[in-house]
Amino acid sequence: MACAETVGRWLTEIVTTAPVDPPDETPAETTTETTTGTSASGDAGGNERRRRQWWVAAIVAGAVLLVLLVCSGIALVGAGVRHAVRSAEDHDRDNQRVRAACVELERRLNRLAPPGSTRDQKSRAAAIRAENAAVRPYQDELDADSDRGWRDRWAGQWRQLVDARGAYADALDRAAAGGEPAFYLPPQTNEGRSVAERLERGPDECAASVRRLAAPDL
């Protein structure tokens, strides 16, 4: 809207300041005496007027093009700024939601008996599965996060941790039934680094829960 008003104002200024042909002040009584000269000067005057008209038209077209380019640039910059602001606001909201979910996760875990407090392998397996169930709402919160990218890797590492704990619980059940001894295999990233250590670098509110979940065999 502001650009349209600017275009209109510029066009008005250009048109009102454009050169205007002076009035013909040739006395009427001399026209019959200089017919040939008047015809020649009339042609020259007409050419001059046409040149001026083309010049004014060119100025107007150039001004319109310039204003439209400026307006387009302003609109693009404004759209980029608005997008950046919205992205920053979404990122902040996502971080706050994830931190709050970490606090809720720790509360759920604190209501449960840790696997290390159990007396036998089957009880330890049940305690591990109960903790994994307490993690699922937190995982759902990560999956609902609008800030993708690195957060996808974060959610994937949480899945690795929960899956490794589930595999250990299954191994405990088999061991309790007379199978081979069960061992917990801590998950690793593709680079061979500890998933638990990576998760501990996340929100401070999740650090205590990660440390507890990373040691189901203790």
Side-chain angles (χ1 to χ4, degrees):
M1 187 66 178
C3 284
E5 294 176 354
T6 302
V7 171
R9 187 169 60 254
W10 281 24
L11 292 178
T12 301
E13 293 176 356
I14 291 172
V15 172
T16 55
T17 57
V20 180
D21 293 332
D24 188 4
E25 298 179 354
T26 304
E29 60 271 14
T30 62
T31 57
T32 56
E33 298 176 358
T34 56
T35 304
T36 302
T38 301
S39 177
S41 62
D43 292 340
N47 291 335
E48 181 66 21
R49 283 192 296 272
R50 282 191 294 273
R51 281 195 296 271
R52 290 177 179 174
Q53 291 170 352
W54 280 107
W55 177 246
V56 171
I59 292 175
V60 171
V64 171
L65 179 60
L66 176 61
V67 173
L68 291 177
L69 289 175
V70 171
C71 291
S72 299
I74 293 174
L76 290 175
V77 172
V81 170
R82 289 192 296 272
H83 177 72
V85 170
R86 284 196 299 270
S87 297
E89 291 175 348
D90 290 343
H91 181 75
D92 290 341
R93 282 194 297 269
D94 291 338
N95 279 341
Q96 292 173 4
R97 191 171 65 247
V98 169
R99 291 178 184 276
C102 284
V103 173
E104 292 300 319
L105 170 60
E106 185 174 4
R107 289 175 180 171
R108 288 192 298 272
L109 291 175
N110 288 339
R111 299 189 190 105
L112 301 174
S117 67
T118 57
R119 297 181 179 180
D120 54 55
Q121 292 176 319
K122 289 189 70 68
S123 298
R124 181 182 290 265
I128 291 172
R129 292 190 178 98
E131 287 183 334
N132 283 356
V135 176
R136 289 194 191 100
Y138 178 73
Q139 291 179 293
D140 293 340
E141 195 66 46
L142 289 179
D143 291 338
D145 195 346
S146 63
D147 182 16
R148 308 317 301 169
W150 72 268
R151 197 62 62 79
D152 282 334
R153 294 192 298 273
W154 175 262
Q157 289 168 358
W158 271 99
R159 283 192 294 271
Q160 283 183 272
L161 178 60
V162 171
D163 290 345
R165 287 167 49 84
Y168 179 51
D170 292 341
L172 286 171
D173 283 339
R174 290 193 297 270
E180 297 180 354
F183 297 96
Y184 176 62
L185 299 178
Q188 296 182 337
T189 66
N190 293 333
E191 297 80 15
R193 298 181 179 180
S194 170
V195 166
E197 291 180 0
R198 287 291 184 88
L199 293 178
E200 283 190 63
R201 298 176 186 175
D204 293 338
E205 291 82 355
C206 271
S209 296
V210 171
R211 287 191 293 268
R212 172 172 172 168
L213 296 170
D217 54 338
L218 298 180

